[in-house]
Structures are given as C-alpha cells and as structure tokens.
C-alpha cells in the first residue's frame, strides 16, 4: 500500500504543477519536496506519471515553475554530493531527483528558447549544478567531511587500466551508477536537438565534463573503460543462467560504453577548435581530458587488457551453441565498434599493438560477420559503414596485410561459399558479397571496400581459388560498358581492381597461382578493356543497356557469378521488415577526401605524397580511357587523360597463355590442378615491367567523417 500511496502522491504533485498558473517560490519547500521526499518511484514510474504533454504544457504556460523544478532538483543533488548521502532516505531523494531530471531535460533541449538555460547565470543554472552530476557518481556511506577530501581514484569501479584492485560486486552501486550515467547521457544528448550546422560545434556538456575543472575526470574515465573491458557476458557459462538471474552489470556496461564514446569527442578542422560558453569562457577541444587520457595509455598490459576485453565482447554475438538461446548475447556491439575506432584513431601506440600480432584477427572476424549479416538490412547501413571505416584505418598499416595471411579456421557460420584459405580470402569473399547482394544504400562504400583490398594486396601471399574468382567477377561486372559509363566515378572501381592485380603479380606472384590461373581463364575481360571504345555512340549504347537493368546491384550480382555451396550452419542476411526506420546519416566524403596517399619505400617506411595525378602513378604504355568527345551532357564518361594500368597484366598474358595452351595440347590436359602446378613453379622474373612503388591510401581525419560519426553514434544511442 505504501508504494501505491507514494505513486499517488507523486502524481498529485505533477498535476498541481501543471495546473499552477502563477510562479511558485523556490522557498516553498513543502510544494517542491513532494516531488522527491518520501517517494519511492522507479524510473519507469516517473516516465509513466510525468507525461510528455504535461511537461510541454508547463514549459509553455509556466516556464518559471519548470525552471524552479530543475533548480530545486539540482540543489538536492548538490546537497547529496556534499553530505555523501549517509541515510537510505537521502539516497532515495537523490535517485528521485536523477529520474525526474532524466525525464524533463529532453523537453528543455527541444525548445530553442530554453537552449542556454543550464549555461545561463540565473539561479540554479551554471557550473555548480552541472558539476554535481559528475561528483555524485560516488554514492557511498561517508561523513560530509570525508566527501570534501575524498580521493576518488581509490574508488575506481573495476580493476584494469591503472588500477589493480577489483572491488567486490555490489548490485546497488551498479544500479545507482547506471541511473547517473543515464542522466549524463541525457545531458549530453542536447547535441541531438541542435539544428544541422556546417560548423562542427563541440558539445558544451561534454566539453565541461571532460575539462580540467572536473577533478574526478581521471577515475571516471578509468572506471568507465575498465567496467567495459572487464565485462564477461557469458560469465560461468552455465546454459540459460541469464534467464534465471538479473545481470545488473550488463546495463551498467552498456551505459558506460555509451558515455565513453560520447565524451571522446575530438574534431578535425578549425571550425571546431573553440566553443564560447557564457559561464566557462573558451572551451577548447585540446582540454578534453578523456581524449588526453585515452591517447596517453601506453603500457602493454593495459593494451592487452583492452584488446582482449573488446574482442571478447565483439565476438559474443557470434557465439553458437547446441542449445538455442542458452548463451547470453550482448546488444551493444555497435557502441563497441565506435570505441575501438576511437582507441585506434587517438592512440597510435594502441593501433600498432593491435597489429603487431594476430590478435587483430580476433577483432577482424566479428567485424566481417557484422558486415555480412547487415548487408541487406537498410536499417543497419550505419553498422556496415563503421565496420568498413575501421578496416580502412587498419589497412593503412603494413602489418594488417601481413596478418591476413594467417589461415582462417574459426568457421563462424556465415552465408558465404565454403573455402580453404586465409583471413584475406574471408575478407575478399565478404566484400564481394556486400557489393553483389548488399542493400543499394551501400553503393557509396564500394570505393572504400576496394581501397582496403588495394592497401593489403601487396602482402597477400596466396589467395584461394574462391577469392580469386570473386575478384575477377567484380572486374567483369565493373568493366561492362553499361556500368562503366553510367556514372562519372565508376571507372575508379576498375582502376582499384587493376591495381590489386598489379600488386599481387608484381610482389606476390610466386604464391598466387590461383589468381594467375583465374586471370588467364578470364583474359577476355582484359582484352576488352584494352580495346574499350569511349566514343559517344558506344556510350549511348551502354546507357541504353543500363535502362534495361533493374538496378545496378542486382545486375552486378548476376553477371556470371560463380557461387558455390554456402558454409554449414550459415544464415542469410535478413532484409529489413517493411516500415523499418531508415537510418538518417550524413553522406561520407569521397575516397580522395577520406584518405591520403603514402608511398612505401624500400626499407618499409611510408612517405606521404601530395595529391598526384593518375598519369604520375600509372606505368607507361598504358591503354587510354580518354573519351574522343565530351558527348551529351547527360552521359558520363571517364575523366580525360585517364589511363588503365594494363601493361603488367597484358605482359603476363602474353608470356603465360601460349605456354599454358602448349602444355594442354602436348599433354592433353583437362585437369586444372596440373595447370596450377605448372603455374606454381613458373616465374616471370625479368619478363615483367619494373615493379611500381607500393601506394597505400591511409585514412585521414576530416570534418566530414567527424560529423558522420556524431550522427551515427547518437542514432545508435537513441534507438537503443
């Protein structure tokens, strides 16, 4: 009965607030205390008993009362932070205030007239009220004098980076921290309510939270990072244990990783350098302590702890058991991908640690699983983007390509052809699947996918026949006249694939007999490219063919695709249900804006290059794709002076095709294994053109991707 009465009293207080037409004085403690004193409401109760329409009504009709309510709630938080909340009653008051603010803040943010409320100099706003949200993250039984001198580094929530002691689990603390983190996320979410802007304005809540004024920044950062990386969703591994016991730590971990990725805000470009705040002066991005702390982690044991933790959690959704739903699966893998991205982007020592051993493959496999699983679902386009961005970042380093040569034996069930090969084969097969059977909104990513393959190609020692055929199928599809001339940028895809073949032939010929055999079998593709006509009549004919195609992607997927039996236990990508919310993401920059070129010198080091024309990078005597006339304004043709780098491949065909044909005739061969043996022991030393320099396209931070990440990140958190 007591709980029912409590809810009834709380509801009566809300009704009184909505019916008050005159301002209620802040000194009317009897009125304001009824919102949090002697009230035992859950967060669900608060959301049910404080309807959105009533919050908006108070905001419009009695704005001073809404302002006073926020002021009084924050005042209670200040008192709680100062006293340490020694009694259960005081703790309950604090929780009630937290829940009430979590409910109200979004309706303040959605109104432009209220946007500066918490940063103004009116009573109840400003820095003191904000700071308490940070310092009150430690709710403990302490005397008030202890709270003033507390060393919060002694109260880090979990062992890990910079902290060796593992505190005993306390579900009450986990619940309280979760509610505080929810309130912090709500404060940070003001960014979602701001109108789109060409300038990358930093989030003032995040900037203040991560500034030097917050003396708890280090232990908070460490607590959040350690809680996430130490979490083991499976636990003791007892089947169905997650159905019998509530895991309060999982909810805390989920909100911890969300707070982490939001606070690690770091922008590119001059527009984002400084934000003016009425109370804080200049808020500079360089003062973000969370970014600072993340970038300064350097101990190998810390890197190992982080990488193993993230890999364990990323792999969790892939777990397969004989008992359906017997193992617990997390749902925050997208947030983990963003965190991994920020770690690699902000801390280059961590990136090099990840790539120095095959541990990087423990991250690669789940990313490829996510890409394949989400490729047909338009509501998960953002998930595919973040996975591709991570692989683009990794592929800019030589060690990533080297690690891909490790044999793939994990056998995660995916609807891809069965193959025996390496992780490089897995990557190519899945990229092929995304291009040929992915959702049409993924087409802007084709450049990124092929750039990744180009970056790793000089280091791939032995492609499987399946992967080799997939690369040739993509070239066949992209080099058809109707596709090549249907958009001004489509010829880039052919260039990328030819660069892949050139790298493999020039630097890894000895181990790639499967690829050489596939090139010989599909030699007509290269001969057609060498004789490609780009006169207006040919372009017009190609575009007429395009009109007869249903869609670009569906047409590509049916061009002589040599699909084989899918892996046992695989499941096809599930398309989005009708009416599924379409993720609204800003466009990604073009690949030339997304990357910068670096040339690999003989000693293995990389030298960044200025933007170079294609002519400078292409071998001489290449076959021209230069259009003879500009043609109709509605037709698209390859860029003038663009040349196809076919010299190496045509020389290979010139030397090997007669030899293979002669062997087949002399020995009466019909078995491809014998031809592969011949190719395996063959050599082209001295017969090919001088090897071209290895050109790597490294990801470079820019304002466009920063905006994309912010949009994607808040979209994930909002939907979750």
């Amino acid at each position: 009965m007591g709980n029912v009465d409590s809810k009834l009293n709380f509801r009566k207080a809300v009704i009184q607030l909505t019916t008050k037409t005159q301002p209620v004085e802040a000194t009317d403690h009897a009125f304001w205390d009824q919102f949090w004193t002697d009230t035992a409401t859950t967060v669900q109760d608060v959301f049910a008993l404080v309807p959105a329409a009533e919050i908006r009504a108070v905001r419009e009709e009695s704005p001073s009362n809404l302002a006073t309510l926020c002021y009084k709630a924050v005042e209670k938080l200040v008192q709680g932070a100062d006293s340490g909340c020694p009694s259960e009653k005081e703790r309950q008051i604090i929780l009630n205030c937290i829940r009430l603010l979590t409910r109200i803040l979004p309706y303040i943010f959605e109104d432009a007239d209220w946007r500066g409320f918490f940063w103004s100099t009116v009573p109840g706003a400003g820095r003191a009220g904000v700071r308490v949200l940070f310092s009150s993250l430690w709710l403990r039984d302490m005397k008030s004098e202890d709270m003033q001198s507390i060393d919060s580094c002694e109260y880090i929530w979990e062992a890990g980076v910079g902290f060796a002691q593992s505190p005993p689990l306390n579900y009450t603390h986990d619940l309280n921290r979760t509610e505080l983190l929810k309130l912090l996320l709500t404060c940070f979410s003001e960014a979602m309510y701001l109108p789109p802007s060409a300038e990358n304005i930093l989030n003032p809540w995040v900037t203040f939270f991560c500034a030097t004024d917050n003396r708890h920044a280090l232990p908070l950062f460490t607590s959040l990072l350690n809680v996430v990386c130490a979490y083991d969703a499976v636990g003791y591994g007892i089947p169905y244990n997650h159905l019998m016991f509530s895991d309060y730590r999982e909810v805390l971990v989920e909100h911890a990783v969300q707070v982490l990725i939001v606070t690690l805000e770091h922008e590119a470009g001059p527009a984002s350098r400084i934000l003016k705040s009425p109370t804080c002066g200049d808020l500079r991005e360089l003062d973000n302590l969370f970014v600072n702390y993340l970038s300064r982690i350097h101990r190998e044991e810390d890197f190992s702890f982080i990488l193993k933790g993230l890999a364990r959690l990323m792999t969790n959704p892939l777990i397969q058991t004989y008992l359906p739903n017997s193992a617990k699966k997390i749902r925050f893998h997208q947030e983990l991908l963003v965190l991994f991205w920020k770690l690699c982007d902000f801390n280059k020592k961590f990136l090099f640690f990840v790539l120095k051993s095959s541990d990087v493959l423990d991250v690669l496999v789940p990313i490829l699983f996510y890409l394949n699983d989400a490729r047909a679902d338009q509501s998960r386009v953002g998930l595919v983007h973040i996975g591709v961005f991570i692989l683009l970042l990794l592929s800019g380093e030589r060690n990533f390509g080297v690690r891909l040569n490790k044999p793939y034996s994990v056998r995660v069930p995916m609807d891809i052809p069965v193959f025996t090969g390496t992780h490089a084969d897995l990557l190519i097969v899945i990229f092929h699947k995304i291009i040929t059977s992915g959702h049409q909104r993924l087409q802007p990513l084709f450049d990124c996918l092929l750039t990744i393959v180009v970056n790793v190609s000089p280091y791939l020692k032995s492609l499987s026949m399946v992967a080799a055929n997939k690369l040739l199928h993509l070239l066949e599809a992209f080099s058809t006249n109707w596709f090549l001339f249907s958009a001004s940028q489509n010829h880039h895809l052919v260039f990328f694939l030819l660069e892949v073949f050139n790298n493999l032939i020039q630097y890894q010929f000895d181990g790639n007999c499967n690829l050489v055999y596939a090139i010989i079998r599909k030699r007509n593709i290269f001969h057609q490219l060498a004789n490609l006509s780009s006169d207006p009549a040919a372009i017009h004919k190609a575009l007429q063919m395009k009109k007869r195609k249903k869609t670009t992607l569906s047409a590509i997927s049916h061009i002589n695709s040599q699909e084989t039996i899918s892996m046992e236990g695989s499941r096809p990508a599930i398309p989005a249900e009708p009416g599924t919310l379409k993720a609204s993401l800003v466009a990604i920059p073009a690949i030339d804006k997304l990357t910068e070129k670096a040339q690999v010198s003989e000693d293995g080091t990389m030298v960044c290059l200025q933007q170079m024309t294609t002519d400078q990078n292409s071998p001489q005597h290449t076959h021209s794709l230069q259009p003879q006339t500009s043609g109709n304004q509605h037709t698209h043709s390859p860029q003038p002076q663009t040349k196809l780098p076919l010299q190496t491949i045509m020389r290979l065909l010139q030397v090997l095709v007669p030899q293979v044909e002669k062997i087949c005739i002399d020995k009466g061969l019909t078995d491809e294994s014998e031809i592969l043996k011949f190719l395996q022991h063959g050599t082209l030393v001295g017969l090919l053109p001088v090897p071209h320099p290895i050109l790597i396209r490294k990801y470079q931070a820019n304002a466009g991707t920063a905006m994309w990440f912010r949009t994607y990140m808040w979209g994930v958190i909002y939907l979750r």
Side-chain angles (χ1 to χ4, degrees), residues 216-249:
H216 301 301
L218 177 58
L220 269 174
F221 168 78
T222 307
S223 294
L224 296 172
L225 183 63
N226 290 355
V227 159
V228 173
C229 296
Y231 179 61
D232 184 358
V234 177
Y236 295 106
I238 303 171
Y240 302 105
N241 66 341
H242 61 289
L243 301 180
M244 297 179 284
F245 307 103
S246 296
D247 184 359
Y248 299 102
R249 179 60 49 127

Short mmCIF file of all heavy atoms in Angstrom, two decimals, residues 216-249:
data_model
loop_
_atom_site.label_atom_id
_atom_site.label_comp_id
_atom_site.label_asym_id
_atom_site.label_seq_id
_atom_site.Cartn_x
_atom_site.Cartn_y
_atom_site.Cartn_z
N HIS A 216 37.31 14.71 -10.86
CA HIS A 216 37.06 13.27 -10.89
C HIS A 216 37.20 12.69 -12.30
O HIS A 216 36.85 11.53 -12.52
CB HIS A 216 35.65 12.97 -10.37
CG HIS A 216 35.41 13.43 -8.98
ND1 HIS A 216 36.16 12.99 -7.91
CD2 HIS A 216 34.51 14.31 -8.47
CE1 HIS A 216 35.72 13.57 -6.79
NE2 HIS A 216 34.72 14.38 -7.12
N ALA A 217 37.72 13.47 -13.25
CA ALA A 217 37.76 13.03 -14.65
C ALA A 217 38.57 11.75 -14.82
O ALA A 217 38.14 10.81 -15.50
CB ALA A 217 38.33 14.14 -15.54
N LEU A 218 39.76 11.68 -14.20
CA LEU A 218 40.62 10.51 -14.38
C LEU A 218 39.98 9.24 -13.83
O LEU A 218 39.89 8.23 -14.55
CB LEU A 218 42.00 10.75 -13.76
CG LEU A 218 42.96 9.56 -13.84
CD1 LEU A 218 43.19 9.14 -15.28
CD2 LEU A 218 44.30 9.91 -13.16
N PRO A 219 39.54 9.21 -12.57
CA PRO A 219 38.92 7.98 -12.07
C PRO A 219 37.63 7.62 -12.80
O PRO A 219 37.31 6.45 -12.95
CB PRO A 219 38.66 8.27 -10.59
CG PRO A 219 38.70 9.75 -10.46
CD PRO A 219 39.66 10.22 -11.49
N LEU A 220 36.89 8.64 -13.27
CA LEU A 220 35.67 8.35 -14.03
C LEU A 220 36.01 7.70 -15.36
O LEU A 220 35.41 6.70 -15.75
CB LEU A 220 34.88 9.63 -14.26
CG LEU A 220 33.83 9.97 -13.20
CD1 LEU A 220 33.23 11.34 -13.49
CD2 LEU A 220 32.74 8.92 -13.18
N PHE A 221 36.98 8.28 -16.07
CA PHE A 221 37.41 7.69 -17.35
C PHE A 221 37.90 6.26 -17.15
O PHE A 221 37.51 5.34 -17.88
CB PHE A 221 38.53 8.54 -17.97
CG PHE A 221 39.23 7.87 -19.11
CD1 PHE A 221 38.64 7.83 -20.37
CD2 PHE A 221 40.47 7.26 -18.92
CE1 PHE A 221 39.29 7.20 -21.42
CE2 PHE A 221 41.11 6.63 -19.97
CZ PHE A 221 40.52 6.60 -21.23
N THR A 222 38.73 6.07 -16.14
CA THR A 222 39.27 4.74 -15.87
C THR A 222 38.17 3.76 -15.48
O THR A 222 38.16 2.61 -15.92
CB THR A 222 40.32 4.82 -14.73
OG1 THR A 222 41.28 5.82 -15.06
CG2 THR A 222 41.02 3.50 -14.56
N SER A 223 37.22 4.21 -14.67
CA SER A 223 36.12 3.35 -14.25
C SER A 223 35.29 2.90 -15.45
O SER A 223 34.96 1.71 -15.59
CB SER A 223 35.21 4.07 -13.25
OG SER A 223 35.90 4.34 -12.04
N LEU A 224 34.96 3.84 -16.31
CA LEU A 224 34.13 3.51 -17.47
C LEU A 224 34.85 2.53 -18.40
O LEU A 224 34.27 1.53 -18.85
CB LEU A 224 33.77 4.78 -18.23
CG LEU A 224 32.90 5.80 -17.49
CD1 LEU A 224 32.78 7.09 -18.29
CD2 LEU A 224 31.52 5.24 -17.19
N LEU A 225 36.12 2.81 -18.68
CA LEU A 225 36.89 1.95 -19.58
C LEU A 225 37.06 0.55 -18.99
O LEU A 225 36.88 -0.47 -19.68
CB LEU A 225 38.25 2.58 -19.86
CG LEU A 225 39.15 1.84 -20.85
CD1 LEU A 225 38.52 1.77 -22.23
CD2 LEU A 225 40.52 2.52 -20.94
N ASN A 226 37.40 0.47 -17.70
CA ASN A 226 37.64 -0.82 -17.07
C ASN A 226 36.37 -1.65 -16.95
O ASN A 226 36.39 -2.87 -17.12
CB ASN A 226 38.28 -0.63 -15.69
CG ASN A 226 39.71 -0.12 -15.77
OD1 ASN A 226 40.26 0.00 -16.86
ND2 ASN A 226 40.30 0.19 -14.64
N VAL A 227 35.26 -0.99 -16.61
CA VAL A 227 33.99 -1.71 -16.49
C VAL A 227 33.63 -2.37 -17.81
O VAL A 227 33.15 -3.51 -17.86
CB VAL A 227 32.87 -0.76 -16.01
CG1 VAL A 227 31.50 -1.30 -16.36
CG2 VAL A 227 32.96 -0.54 -14.52
N VAL A 228 33.85 -1.65 -18.91
CA VAL A 228 33.52 -2.19 -20.23
C VAL A 228 34.45 -3.35 -20.59
O VAL A 228 33.99 -4.44 -20.95
CB VAL A 228 33.62 -1.09 -21.30
CG1 VAL A 228 33.46 -1.68 -22.70
CG2 VAL A 228 32.57 -0.02 -21.05
N CYS A 229 35.75 -3.13 -20.47
CA CYS A 229 36.71 -4.14 -20.95
C CYS A 229 36.80 -5.37 -20.05
O CYS A 229 37.25 -6.43 -20.49
CB CYS A 229 38.09 -3.50 -21.12
SG CYS A 229 38.14 -2.22 -22.38
N ALA A 230 36.39 -5.24 -18.79
CA ALA A 230 36.46 -6.39 -17.88
C ALA A 230 35.19 -7.24 -17.93
O ALA A 230 35.17 -8.35 -17.40
CB ALA A 230 36.68 -5.90 -16.44
N TYR A 231 34.16 -6.76 -18.58
CA TYR A 231 32.87 -7.45 -18.54
C TYR A 231 32.90 -8.74 -19.35
O TYR A 231 33.39 -8.78 -20.47
CB TYR A 231 31.77 -6.53 -19.08
CG TYR A 231 30.40 -7.16 -19.10
CD1 TYR A 231 29.80 -7.60 -17.92
CD2 TYR A 231 29.70 -7.33 -20.28
CE1 TYR A 231 28.54 -8.17 -17.93
CE2 TYR A 231 28.44 -7.89 -20.30
CZ TYR A 231 27.87 -8.33 -19.13
OH TYR A 231 26.62 -8.90 -19.14
N ASP A 232 32.38 -9.80 -18.75
CA ASP A 232 32.26 -11.10 -19.42
C ASP A 232 30.79 -11.47 -19.43
O ASP A 232 30.22 -11.86 -18.41
CB ASP A 232 33.09 -12.16 -18.71
CG ASP A 232 33.07 -13.50 -19.43
OD1 ASP A 232 32.38 -13.60 -20.47
OD2 ASP A 232 33.73 -14.44 -18.96
N ALA A 233 30.16 -11.35 -20.60
CA ALA A 233 28.72 -11.57 -20.68
C ALA A 233 28.34 -13.02 -20.40
O ALA A 233 27.29 -13.31 -19.83
CB ALA A 233 28.20 -11.16 -22.06
N VAL A 234 29.20 -13.94 -20.78
CA VAL A 234 28.87 -15.36 -20.62
C VAL A 234 29.05 -15.80 -19.18
O VAL A 234 28.33 -16.67 -18.68
CB VAL A 234 29.75 -16.22 -21.56
CG1 VAL A 234 29.47 -17.69 -21.35
CG2 VAL A 234 29.50 -15.84 -23.01
N GLY A 235 29.97 -15.16 -18.46
CA GLY A 235 30.16 -15.49 -17.05
C GLY A 235 30.67 -16.90 -16.85
O GLY A 235 31.64 -17.32 -17.46
N TYR A 236 29.98 -17.67 -16.01
CA TYR A 236 30.42 -19.04 -15.73
C TYR A 236 30.05 -20.01 -16.85
O TYR A 236 30.40 -21.17 -16.80
CB TYR A 236 29.79 -19.52 -14.41
CG TYR A 236 30.28 -18.75 -13.21
CD1 TYR A 236 29.45 -17.83 -12.58
CD2 TYR A 236 31.56 -18.93 -12.74
CE1 TYR A 236 29.89 -17.10 -11.48
CE2 TYR A 236 32.02 -18.21 -11.64
CZ TYR A 236 31.19 -17.30 -11.01
OH TYR A 236 31.63 -16.59 -9.93
N GLY A 237 29.31 -19.54 -17.83
CA GLY A 237 28.99 -20.39 -18.96
C GLY A 237 27.90 -21.41 -18.71
O GLY A 237 27.73 -22.36 -19.47
N ILE A 238 27.16 -21.27 -17.62
CA ILE A 238 26.07 -22.20 -17.34
C ILE A 238 24.92 -21.90 -18.30
O ILE A 238 24.49 -20.75 -18.39
CB ILE A 238 25.58 -22.06 -15.88
CG1 ILE A 238 26.76 -22.28 -14.92
CG2 ILE A 238 24.45 -23.03 -15.59
CD1 ILE A 238 26.42 -21.94 -13.48
N PRO A 239 24.42 -22.90 -19.04
CA PRO A 239 23.35 -22.63 -20.01
C PRO A 239 22.14 -21.98 -19.36
O PRO A 239 21.71 -22.38 -18.27
CB PRO A 239 23.01 -24.03 -20.54
CG PRO A 239 24.24 -24.85 -20.30
CD PRO A 239 24.83 -24.31 -19.03
N TYR A 240 21.63 -20.97 -20.02
CA TYR A 240 20.40 -20.27 -19.62
C TYR A 240 20.51 -19.53 -18.28
O TYR A 240 19.50 -19.13 -17.73
CB TYR A 240 19.21 -21.24 -19.57
CG TYR A 240 18.95 -21.93 -20.87
CD1 TYR A 240 19.29 -23.27 -21.06
CD2 TYR A 240 18.39 -21.24 -21.94
CE1 TYR A 240 19.06 -23.89 -22.28
CE2 TYR A 240 18.15 -21.86 -23.16
CZ TYR A 240 18.50 -23.19 -23.32
OH TYR A 240 18.28 -23.80 -24.53
N ASN A 241 21.75 -19.34 -17.77
CA ASN A 241 21.87 -18.65 -16.48
C ASN A 241 21.37 -17.22 -16.56
O ASN A 241 20.90 -16.65 -15.59
CB ASN A 241 23.32 -18.70 -15.97
CG ASN A 241 24.27 -17.91 -16.87
OD1 ASN A 241 23.95 -17.64 -18.03
ND2 ASN A 241 25.43 -17.58 -16.35
N HIS A 242 21.44 -16.61 -17.76
CA HIS A 242 20.99 -15.23 -17.91
C HIS A 242 19.47 -15.12 -17.84
O HIS A 242 18.94 -14.03 -17.67
CB HIS A 242 21.48 -14.65 -19.24
CG HIS A 242 20.99 -15.39 -20.45
ND1 HIS A 242 21.45 -16.65 -20.78
CD2 HIS A 242 20.08 -15.06 -21.40
CE1 HIS A 242 20.86 -17.06 -21.89
NE2 HIS A 242 20.01 -16.11 -22.29
N LEU A 243 18.78 -16.23 -17.99
CA LEU A 243 17.33 -16.22 -17.88
C LEU A 243 16.87 -16.37 -16.44
O LEU A 243 15.73 -16.06 -16.09
CB LEU A 243 16.71 -17.34 -18.73
CG LEU A 243 17.04 -17.29 -20.23
CD1 LEU A 243 16.37 -18.45 -20.95
CD2 LEU A 243 16.58 -15.96 -20.83
N MET A 244 17.78 -16.86 -15.60
CA MET A 244 17.42 -17.10 -14.20
C MET A 244 17.89 -15.99 -13.27
O MET A 244 17.31 -15.80 -12.21
CB MET A 244 18.03 -18.44 -13.73
CG MET A 244 17.50 -19.65 -14.49
SD MET A 244 18.26 -21.20 -13.94
CE MET A 244 19.86 -21.11 -14.72
N PHE A 245 18.93 -15.26 -13.67
CA PHE A 245 19.49 -14.22 -12.81
C PHE A 245 19.59 -12.90 -13.57
O PHE A 245 19.96 -12.89 -14.74
CB PHE A 245 20.88 -14.63 -12.30
CG PHE A 245 20.92 -15.97 -11.64
CD1 PHE A 245 21.43 -17.07 -12.32
CD2 PHE A 245 20.42 -16.15 -10.36
CE1 PHE A 245 21.47 -18.31 -11.73
CE2 PHE A 245 20.45 -17.40 -9.77
CZ PHE A 245 20.97 -18.48 -10.45
N SER A 246 19.29 -11.82 -12.90
CA SER A 246 19.44 -10.49 -13.49
C SER A 246 20.90 -10.08 -13.45
O SER A 246 21.57 -10.25 -12.43
CB SER A 246 18.59 -9.46 -12.74
OG SER A 246 17.21 -9.77 -12.86
N ASP A 247 21.39 -9.55 -14.56
CA ASP A 247 22.78 -9.10 -14.64
C ASP A 247 22.79 -7.58 -14.64
O ASP A 247 22.65 -6.93 -15.68
CB ASP A 247 23.43 -9.64 -15.92
CG ASP A 247 24.90 -9.30 -16.00
OD1 ASP A 247 25.40 -8.62 -15.08
OD2 ASP A 247 25.56 -9.69 -16.98
N TYR A 248 22.93 -7.02 -13.44
CA TYR A 248 22.93 -5.56 -13.33
C TYR A 248 24.17 -4.96 -13.97
O TYR A 248 24.16 -3.81 -14.41
CB TYR A 248 22.84 -5.15 -11.85
CG TYR A 248 21.58 -5.64 -11.18
CD1 TYR A 248 21.59 -6.75 -10.34
CD2 TYR A 248 20.36 -5.01 -11.41
CE1 TYR A 248 20.43 -7.21 -9.73
CE2 TYR A 248 19.19 -5.46 -10.81
CZ TYR A 248 19.23 -6.56 -9.97
OH TYR A 248 18.08 -7.02 -9.40
N ARG A 249 25.25 -5.73 -14.02
CA ARG A 249 26.49 -5.22 -14.59
C ARG A 249 26.34 -4.96 -16.09
O ARG A 249 26.91 -4.02 -16.61
CB ARG A 249 27.61 -6.21 -14.29
CG ARG A 249 29.01 -5.91 -14.81
CD ARG A 249 29.64 -4.63 -14.32
NE ARG A 249 29.65 -4.29 -12.95
CZ ARG A 249 30.74 -3.96 -12.25
NH1 ARG A 249 31.91 -4.04 -12.82
NH2 ARG A 249 30.64 -3.57 -11.01
#
